[in-house]
Amino acid sequence: MFCLLLIISVPAVAQYYSTGADPGSIRWRQIKTEKFQLIYPSDFETKSQYLANILEIIARADTQTLHAKMPRIPVIIHQQSATSNGVTVWAPKRIELYPCPPQDSYAEEWLEQLATHEYRHAVQTAKMNKGFTRVLSYLFGEQAPGAVLGLYLPLWFLEGDAVCTETALSRSGRGRLPSFESTLRAQVLEKGTYRYDKAVLGSYRTFIPDQYSLGYFLVAGTRKKYGPQVWDYTLDRVAKLPFIIIPFTSGIKRTTGLSKVKLYKQVLSDLDKEWSDQASGIQYTGMKLLSRPDKKNFSVYAFPLYLNDSVIIAFKESMNDIDRIVRIDAKNKQEKKVFTPGYFEFHSLSYSEGLLLWTESVPDIRWENRDFTRIRIYDMNSHKARFLTGRSRYFAASLSPDGKMVCAVRLSLTNRSSIVILDVNSGNVMKEFDFGNKALAIIPGWDDSNTRLAVVLLTVKGKAMGVIDILSGKYTEYIPPSYHEISGPTFLSGNLIMFSGDYSGIENIYAIDTSTRKIWQVTSAKFGSGAPYFNDDHTKMLYSDYCSDGLMIAETGIDTVKWTPLEQVGDRSIKLYASLVSQEKTNIQDSVRLRNLYKIYESDNYDLIEDSIKGRQFPSRKYSKWLHLFNFHSWAPASIDVNNLMVDPGVSVLSQNVLGTAVASAGYDYNVNEGTGKAFANFSYQGLYPVFDLTFSYGGRSAYYYNSTINEVVPFGWEELNFSGTVSIPWNFTRGKYYRYLTPSVGISMIDVIHYSKTPDFFTEGLIPAMNYKLSFSNTLKSVPKDMYPKWSQQLYFNFRNSPFAGNTLGSIVSGETYLFFPGIFNHHSLWFYGGIQKNTPNPYSNYRFSDFVNYPRGYSGAENTDLISLEFNYKLPLFYPDLSIGSLLYLKRFKLNLFYDMAEGWGDGYRDSYKSTGAELTVDLHLLRFTIPFELGVRGIYFPGAQTTSFEFLYAVRY
């Protein structure tokens, strides 16, 4: 059982997960339904009532093909965030929703999308709570089913199954989007099928489609061929038999006759044939690529714009570099960096009159679950950037052709949608067109006269497209609501609007004539095209064209004669979702209750709700965060230090409230080395502006001393009571391309040493109080996964500890440390330095002393000096990326080498010591037994110049 505990403790780290804190001023309310407990800010009442009804509908449909007994689940609404996301966690169990709708939303109301997807994750985890895993849950609490799921179920299944569900239970969903399949389809048709390990566990040298896309096609393809019972049975087997090491593969083999890897190959082979058939006979648009595909570096060039006829501006993502805005010479395809934005909201980039404009995500200084989207402008002439707006929620901003105005989508904290017109100089709102709850406005586009805006509206009936007359405020609809995917409307000229659409089963550019409402297909791409932009005389068009090497910039002439009328366009998609729909036999959007909810949703009047068939008005009441500080979710017949992955004999119990602001643990820990035990309790509260941390422990300690009288080493013991309290403020000043953090903290610690009858008299006795002061600061440039370390980073740490109170004292210690990172000789190499200095003034009459803050050179341990200066020099580089599988045992992704030279000088009263070491660290990033958890293993070779000796150390880390 102890070995099993060690296995479970590793993935359990992910289950003790906090998304951060919401502003402490929020007044929380709650709604309890049969299946859910919604906890939400008080001004989100209307949307929460709507969401409660949606969740109850989904709960009845979401377990038809994956059968599970579902407990009541808390659902927390993080209304203050401008992020669009959801998280499902099981220790403690909860669903966290970020309800701000995204601009790239598909044709389904956002809260429906979010709830359907995240509840499926809850079903997956609840399904683990049976058989042997249920027995484990009695021993370990909620961490047991979460740990078994995290250990055995691959990420591609978890996300793929959830995408299948969101697609099958609605008339939209990612599984129906051509753009969603383009990455995997391009890879399979142009580069072939990758090995299973590479496709699932990733690569540093090759772009790999994400686990959502791969997972959807694997899960859906298996369901199409073998039925949904494959996954239902397989998950049952994982829950009941986690001790057989490969229960997931075993379940697949018993239902399909194939191993997990062979099933992967079969599904991809079937897709290859279907996609090849789809591509046959398609006549592709003639075009010229203006960006250079790089087979070794997958790149995305988004929102291409004409600066003039020979120069193009685009936003570029790359595996080799952080996101940039670049300019490209259209003749020789040479690139030059223009500007490095902050956390780019991937909705639009616009240019006019020498100005570039986009929106960036900016975090709140203190609260992790509050952030903003701000409009940023870069002047191409002065090379200066500025924020146009402050703590705003603006999306998809776009400059008017005359460069005087900005249009943007604004979302309120209750998800009310409007389009605002801002002055480009002051940022003041000039006009606003409010859609309320009736629709979400998506990526508006200007006409040449600065008087009209084309806009897509997401309604509860799908996506529509129309035009707003800025002067009159009138909206005219030209494409009625449907579940077709349309986006990015852009005026070509006069009555012609271009936009992206999915009518052919591949995302392409289309045009509509607003005078006749006739639609044509403009481009015919192999894998997908979009984001059209025109030159000044409207004779040429830039657009993004997808291939297996990324999203490229294409240029083509505008010739209306070659356009294909929509009625002649056939849908050639493979429609994998059709089998899912037939298996689920339920569409939540067809329910009578939901259709009535739509009417209420549009009216924003919940007084219309009458009964449970048309929609319920659930009772709501205040939710007290102070009465729900403790939520004991997991326990263990062992002492588990989650942060350090340590397991000792003992017992422990873990608590985390569902708001993620209060974390506590308590138990008994037995120290095998000392042969003593202690009771402990820890508590951290992050719901106020400062963070409060408290720790307590009480128990025995033991040590040895040399007794010269009897010439023996004598063991002795004592009791020790430890208490510490710390107050800190974790500020986040991240702006632009740098992460910036500043955290001051102050704390007090007290140790009460209690002698036994045989404790030596010379050993310290009584209360030892101390004060602790710390200031940490970091400024770090964004990086990419291939980088060893950030190219530029400065990290500073200052510590001071002293004993200012009467009684036993430990003296004082003061230190300063810095980590400095610089670019290496070649890309992804890193040159970095560590420097530290400390002065320790211990009490010579105390057996206790403050621990050192500053590092000693590698290979040294047990040294003690009152004063210390330490320096470390490192050069780290990637050696090669093998992407090598050794059966199912190991998958090797990257070998790395770090060369180091460390030196330190330590001195005290009458002595001076010198420490030097040099050597190398060879490590490898790998996966064991095809588990998702990445490991880093290696060896460190050390040479000590002074002693002229060598030593070796084993290195390991879990990079969860």
Side-chain angles (χ1 to χ4, degrees):
M1 180 58 71
F2 187 70
C3 291
L4 180 63
L5 176 62
L6 289 174
I7 292 173
I8 288 177
S9 68
V10 175
V13 176
Q15 302 304 314
Y16 311 125
Y17 175 70
S18 172
T19 59
D22 296 80
S25 59
I26 289 180
R27 296 181 178 180
W28 297 92
R29 295 190 65 79
Q30 63 177 320
I31 293 172
K32 286 189 177 181
T33 72
E34 180 183 347
K35 298 287 186 180
F36 303 94
Q37 178 194 20
L38 272 73
I39 302 168
Y40 55 92
S42 57
D43 59 348
F44 208 69
E45 176 73 31
T46 298
K47 283 291 191 297
S48 296
Q49 288 284 351
Y50 172 74
L51 181 59
N53 278 276
I54 294 295
L55 283 166
E56 285 294 318
I57 295 170
I58 291 169
R60 287 164 173 75
D62 226 338
T63 56
Q64 292 188 22
T65 54
L66 207 59
H67 306 106
K69 184 177 181 181
M70 299 300 298
R72 177 184 283 169
I73 299 175
V75 179
I76 298 88
I77 311 297
H78 299 296
Q79 171 213 28
Q80 301 259 336
S81 175
T83 302
S84 308
N85 204 357
V87 178
T88 301
V89 192
W90 212 255
K93 65 175 178 290
R94 67 201 188 274
I95 297 173
E96 300 190 39
L97 301 181
Y98 294 80
C100 181
Q103 285 290 289
D104 59 355
S105 182
Y106 49 82
E108 183 182 9
E109 198 277 322
W110 171 241
L111 292 180
E112 286 179 27
Q113 299 178 32
L114 201 56
T116 308
H117 186 96
E118 293 305 324
Y119 188 67
R120 186 63 164 199
H121 286 317
V123 173
Q124 294 163 352
T125 314
K127 194 164 177 61
M128 294 295 98
N129 198 25
K130 62 176 61 176
F132 188 73
T133 304
R134 186 169 181 82
V135 174
L136 292 178
S137 70
Y138 293 127
L139 295 173
F140 301 105
E142 291 180 356
Q143 63 185 328
V148 171
L149 175 135
L151 187 63
Y152 291 117
L153 298 189
L155 187 59
W156 64 257
F157 171 77
L158 297 175
E159 296 301 350
D161 177 62
V163 173
C164 284
T165 304
E166 77 185 33
T167 302
L169 296 184
S170 71
R171 296 193 177 278
S172 188
R174 278 171 283 189
R176 302 174 193 248
L177 304 183
S179 58
F180 182 71
E181 73 174 29
S182 59
T183 53
L184 185 62
R185 186 162 59 91
Q187 175 221 298
V188 169
L189 293 182
E190 291 191 338
K191 295 182 182 295
T193 299
Y194 294 149
R195 296 188 307 275
Y196 176 83
D197 287 344
K198 183 171 183 173
V200 171
L201 301 175
S203 169
Y204 285 106
R205 71 177 184 184
T206 307
F207 170 77
I208 304 295
D210 65 33
Q211 300 300 300
Y212 292 82
S213 176
L214 175 67
Y216 167 73
F217 286 102
L218 288 182
V219 174
T222 302
R223 284 179 57 168
K224 178 181 179 181
K225 199 174 191 73
Y226 299 100
Q229 65 276 5
V230 172
W231 303 119
D232 194 50
Y233 174 84
T234 298
L235 266 61
D236 281 344
R237 191 166 179 81
V238 170
K240 293 174 182 178
L241 303 171
F243 49 80
I244 68 172
I245 305 301
I246 53 169
F248 186 75
T249 299
S250 174
I252 292 173
K253 185 70 175 289
R254 282 176 171 259
T255 50
T256 68
L258 301 173
S259 68
K260 178 173 58 180
V261 175
K262 288 183 178 179
L263 178 65
Y264 161 80
K265 292 179 178 178
Q266 183 188 76
V267 171
L268 268 292
S269 176
D270 292 343
L271 288 170
D272 189 356
K273 183 179 183 305
E274 292 185 74
W275 282 331
S276 296
D277 292 343
Q278 177 189 10
S280 63
I282 297 179
Q283 297 295 317
Y284 300 119
T285 304
M287 53 83 173
K288 177 172 65 174
L289 285 182
L290 300 184
S291 56
R292 182 176 291 136
D294 183 350
K295 295 188 179 300
K296 294 183 178 181
N297 177 33
F298 184 91
S299 301
V300 170
Y301 296 87
F303 315 115
L305 312 168
Y306 283 111
L307 190 61
N308 54 52
D309 282 343
S310 60
V311 179
I312 295 160
I313 297 288
F315 176 77
K316 182 183 180 182
E317 290 181 332
S318 166
M319 291 182 67
N320 276 344
D321 197 6
I322 59 176
D323 303 344
R324 311 277 192 181
I325 296 174
V326 298
R327 59 186 295 164
I328 302 169
D329 189 305
K331 295 180 180 179
N332 57 29
K333 302 182 182 179
Q334 293 298 311
E335 293 181 19
K336 183 180 179 180
K337 298 172 187 175
V338 174
F339 188 76
T340 303
Y343 293 87
F344 190 87
E345 285 292 318
F346 205 82
H347 303 138
S348 63
L349 174 69
S350 68
Y351 170 79
S352 181
E353 300 298 321
L355 300 177
L356 278 170
L357 179 141
W358 64 92
T359 54
E360 290 186 10
S361 175
V362 178
D364 184 82
I365 291 176
R366 166 61 183 92
W367 306 107
E368 296 90 343
N369 284 329
R370 181 167 68 186
D371 48 60
F372 310 95
T373 50
R374 302 176 64 184
I375 299 175
R376 199 168 191 186
I377 296 178
Y378 176 76
D379 191 314
M380 298 281 290
N381 298 315
S382 67
H383 306 293
K384 292 183 179 180
R386 64 184 173 93
F387 283 106
L388 182 64
T389 59
R391 292 155 62 95
S392 54
R393 285 163 63 98
Y394 290 127
F395 302 86
S398 178
L399 275 164
S400 61
D402 62 6
K404 296 180 180 180
M405 297 178 290
V406 176
C407 71
V409 175
R410 177 157 67 181
L411 288 166
S412 73
L413 290 176
T414 58
N415 285 5
R416 290 184 70 92
S417 166
S418 63
I419 292 178
V420 294
I421 308 296
L422 309 172
D423 178 77
V424 76
N425 294 314
S426 65
N428 293 334
V429 176
M430 302 167 63
K431 286 193 175 184
E432 182 169 8
F433 308 98
D434 188 3
F435 296 97
N437 280 324
K438 296 182 184 299
L440 168 67
I442 296 178
I443 312 180
W446 292 92
D447 76 339
D448 287 342
S449 67
N450 310 293
T451 61
R452 293 183 298 167
L453 292 172
V455 62
V456 169
L457 298 181
L458 172 59
T459 74
V460 292
K461 298 175 184 177
K463 282 187 172 181
M465 192 179 78
V467 173
I468 299 172
D469 186 294
I470 294 176
L471 300 178
S472 67
K474 181 182 178 182
Y475 169 76
T476 304
E477 182 178 272
Y478 292 104
I479 298 179
S482 75
Y483 294 104
H484 278 292
E485 181 59 23
I486 56 175
S487 63
T490 303
F491 278 96
L492 172 60
S493 60
N495 296 321
L496 287 175
I497 301 174
M498 287 195 179
F499 61 96
S500 297
D502 67 351
Y503 300 104
S504 70
I506 297 172
E507 184 177 30
N508 276 300
I509 298 171
Y510 292 81
I512 182 171
D513 186 332
T514 57
S515 62
T516 63
R517 304 188 184 233
K518 187 176 179 62
I519 299 174
W520 294 269
Q521 181 177 334
V522 177
T523 63
S524 178
K526 188 172 183 179
F527 300 110
S529 61
Y533 191 82
F534 318 107
N535 64 347
D536 290 339
D537 60 8
H538 294 175
T539 58
K540 294 188 295 185
M541 177 177 73
L542 290 177
Y543 63 95
S544 295
D545 186 82
Y546 191 81
C547 68
S548 60
D549 293 318
L551 194 63
M552 298 293 111
I553 300 174
E555 184 182 60
T556 188
I558 297 176
D559 186 354
T560 58
V561 175
K562 296 181 180 180
W563 295 356
T564 304
L566 183 60
E567 55 269 20
Q568 297 178 20
V569 175
D571 182 356
R572 299 173 60 90
S573 61
I574 64 174
K575 298 180 179 61
L576 184 58
Y577 60 84
S579 61
L580 302 175
V581 172
S582 64
Q583 291 165 2
E584 294 291 349
K585 301 177 182 177
T586 299
N587 189 306
I588 61 172
Q589 293 173 317
D590 287 341
S591 71
V592 174
R593 181 174 173 183
L594 190 54
R595 288 203 302 271
N596 281 280
L597 280 171
Y598 287 160
K599 297 175 183 177
I600 299 163
Y601 176 83
E602 291 178 329
S603 70
D604 198 16
N605 182 0
Y606 271 77
D607 293 334
L608 296 177
I609 299 178
E610 297 175 354
D611 55 50
S612 60
I613 296 177
K614 293 183 178 180
R616 288 184 58 185
Q617 176 77 46
F618 293 99
S620 69
R621 58 188 177 90
K622 178 183 176 181
Y623 180 84
S624 172
K625 55 187 178 183
W626 301 111
L627 295 178
H628 295 86
L629 281 181
F630 296 97
N631 174 33
F632 293 98
H633 58 81
S634 298
W635 46 88
S639 175
I640 301 178
D641 184 341
V642 176
N643 294 322
N644 297 308
L645 293 177
M646 298 295 293
V647 180
D648 291 324
V651 294
S652 57
V653 61
L654 304 168
S655 169
Q656 179 177 310
N657 67 343
V658 294
L659 293 179
T661 54
V663 179
S665 62
Y668 177 82
D669 178 89
Y670 181 77
N671 188 318
V672 177
N673 295 324
E674 293 190 7
T676 59
K678 66 178 180 180
F680 67 88
N682 306 304
F683 179 74
S684 177
Y685 187 70
Q686 302 180 25
L688 299 174
Y689 199 83
V691 174
F692 295 89
D693 292 291
L694 302 172
T695 65
F696 168 84
S697 68
Y698 177 74
R701 296 290 310 279
S702 68
Y704 299 85
Y705 76 98
Y706 177 71
N707 188 326
S708 59
T709 304
I710 61 176
N711 195 29
E712 289 183 6
V713 174
V714 179
F716 69 95
W718 71 97
E719 284 189 343
E720 194 171 282
L721 184 151
N722 284 270
F723 171 81
S724 69
T726 303
V727 180
S728 61
I729 304 177
W731 281 316
N732 183 351
F733 294 104
T734 297
R735 298 294 184 273
K737 60 185 177 181
Y738 285 96
Y739 297 98
R740 291 193 179 99
Y741 300 97
L742 176 65
T743 303
S745 67
V746 59
I748 185 171
S749 61
M750 290 182 286
I751 303 174
D752 191 12
V753 180
I754 305 166
H755 279 203
Y756 294 142
S757 59
K758 295 184 178 180
T759 306
D761 291 338
F762 67 80
F763 194 73
T764 302
E765 183 178 15
L767 188 65
I768 309 172
M771 292 296 296
N772 314 297
Y773 308 89
K774 183 176 182 179
L775 181 68
S776 63
F777 170 77
S778 65
N779 179 60
T780 302
L781 180 68
K782 295 188 296 183
S783 61
V784 295
K786 293 178 76 170
D787 291 333
M788 292 294 94
Y789 294 105
K791 287 183 172 63
W792 300 99
S793 179
Q794 306 84 41
Q795 301 171 21
L796 303 174
Y797 304 92
F798 299 98
N799 290 279
F800 176 60
R801 302 185 72 182
N802 70 340
S803 301
F805 306 107
N808 291 317
T809 68
L810 300 182
S812 65
I813 184 172
V814 61
S815 73
E817 298 171 274
T818 183
Y819 292 85
L820 302 174
F821 296 85
F822 302 93
I825 299 173
F826 299 105
N827 204 13
H828 311 306
H829 291 206
S830 180
L831 175 67
W832 66 278
F833 303 90
Y834 165 82
I837 183 170
Q838 77 176 28
K839 182 175 181 58
N840 193 349
T841 309
N843 179 356
Y845 303 105
S846 176
N847 304 108
Y848 286 73
R849 59 171 284 166
F850 289 123
S851 300
D852 290 324
F853 289 114
V854 172
N855 298 340
Y856 279 86
R858 273 159 277 202
Y860 288 92
S861 62
E864 289 187 1
N865 296 274
T866 57
D867 301 297
L868 183 67
I869 294 178
S870 179
L871 295 172
E872 296 179 5
F873 303 87
N874 298 266
Y875 191 90
K876 192 166 187 177
L877 66 152
L879 295 177
F880 51 93
Y881 310 97
D883 290 350
L884 175 65
S885 297
I886 303 176
S888 60
L889 180 65
L890 290 175
Y891 174 59
L892 308 177
K893 293 171 70 173
R894 177 172 63 180
F895 282 83
K896 302 169 292 185
L897 178 66
N898 184 55
L899 306 175
F900 67 87
Y901 181 82
D902 300 349
M903 58 188 298
E905 290 288 324
W907 63 92
D909 187 12
Y911 70 89
R912 191 178 190 94
D913 293 323
S914 179
Y915 309 89
K916 293 181 180 179
S917 67
T918 186
E921 298 165 341
L922 178 64
T923 57
V924 57
D925 294 320
L926 55 84
H927 292 263
L928 296 170
L929 300 174
R930 292 187 172 132
F931 291 143
T932 304
I933 305 165
F935 287 85
E936 183 178 8
L937 302 178
V939 63
R940 174 188 292 154
I942 308 173
Y943 174 71
F944 301 95
Q948 295 186 342
T949 59
T950 59
S951 71
F952 293 90
E953 296 175 354
F954 176 66
L955 305 175
Y956 72 95
V958 181
R959 304 296 185 191
Y960 200 90

